[in-house]
Amino acid sequence: MDLDAMYKLTHGLYVLGARDGGRFAGSIVDAVMQVANKPVALALSCSNTSYTKSCIDRSGEFSLSVLCKGIDPFIVANFGFQSSRNVDKWKNVPHFVEDGLPYIENNLATFKCRVLHKYALDSNTLYVAEVLEACNRHDEAPLTYLDYRSYFKPVSYTHLRAH
């Protein structure tokens, strides 16, 4: 099987946020899609080794910030190449908090979600979550996973090492 074919599936890049006691956790995710409109619901897949996933399991809520193509590569590096278990990722980036959840500044849209169901797979957990709040913020082109793999990933990693 040619697993590189999976990279041809289109999806965006998002910053996932969750509460972690008195601070926040976060990570980059790409597997998000709307799955229903009554109630409005999203599916989100998280790696089972993600610390942010463990925070979602405890709180039952998460935030999503939709990233644009013009996002600072450090944002992607900060949330994608290190663990919230060891680093306070939100301390390093401009963000705001609404209803107890963190969101990246300069995003295209935000979503506050409450987990309805979860399905454990070997490598990931699939969450089905109700969208409690949604907000359009800017009209720019979204950062896709293809964009990330094509040119953003190497630049992002370099930006993380520079900080």
Side-chain angles (χ1 to χ4, degrees):
M1 182 177 344
D2 182 359
L3 292 178
D4 283 345
M6 299 302 292
Y7 299 131
K8 305 291 179 164
L9 294 173
T10 58
H11 15 143
L13 235 56
Y14 313 90
V15 171
L16 173 65
R19 279 189 302 280
D20 180 19
R23 67 181 190 107
F24 299 117
S27 60
I28 289 287
V29 293
D30 67 324
V32 176
M33 65 183 281
Q34 182 180 352
V35 294
N37 59 11
K38 283 192 180 181
V40 177
L42 299 177
L44 162 72
S45 178
C46 275
S47 170
N48 288 334
T49 62
S50 166
Y51 187 74
T52 305
K53 180 225 172 269
S54 67
C55 295
I56 293 169
D57 286 344
R58 286 191 297 275
S59 71
E61 292 185 318
F62 61 87
S63 64
L64 286 170
S65 299
V66 181
L67 300 180
C68 66
K69 281 188 181 182
I71 195 76
D72 180 348
F74 176 74
I75 300 288
V76 176
N78 183 60
F79 286 95
F81 297 130
Q82 53 189 353
S83 173
S84 290
R85 186 176 284 111
N86 308 318
V87 176
D88 182 355
K89 298 178 184 184
W90 294 93
K91 183 177 104 177
N92 299 324
V93 298
H95 69 281
F96 61 95
V97 177
E98 285 184 0
D99 296 325
L101 289 169
Y103 299 88
I104 292 294
E105 290 282 351
N106 191 28
N107 64 65
L108 298 182
T110 56
F111 299 91
K112 177 183 179 183
C113 301
R114 179 181 60 223
V115 174
L116 298 173
H117 305 283
K118 69 178 186 175
Y119 305 93
L121 305 167
D122 289 345
S123 62
N124 287 51
T125 295
L126 178 66
Y127 294 100
V128 175
E130 180 179 5
V131 177
L132 302 175
E133 296 288 334
C135 182
N136 264 315
R137 299 198 179 264
H138 297 288
D139 288 327
E140 296 177 49
L143 178 62
T144 67
Y145 190 63
L146 180 61
D147 295 330
Y148 166 73
R149 289 200 49 88
S150 297
Y151 63 87
F152 231 82
K153 187 175 181 178
V155 171
S156 296
Y157 187 72
T158 301
H159 273 76
L160 181 63
R161 293 183 61 173
H163 280 81

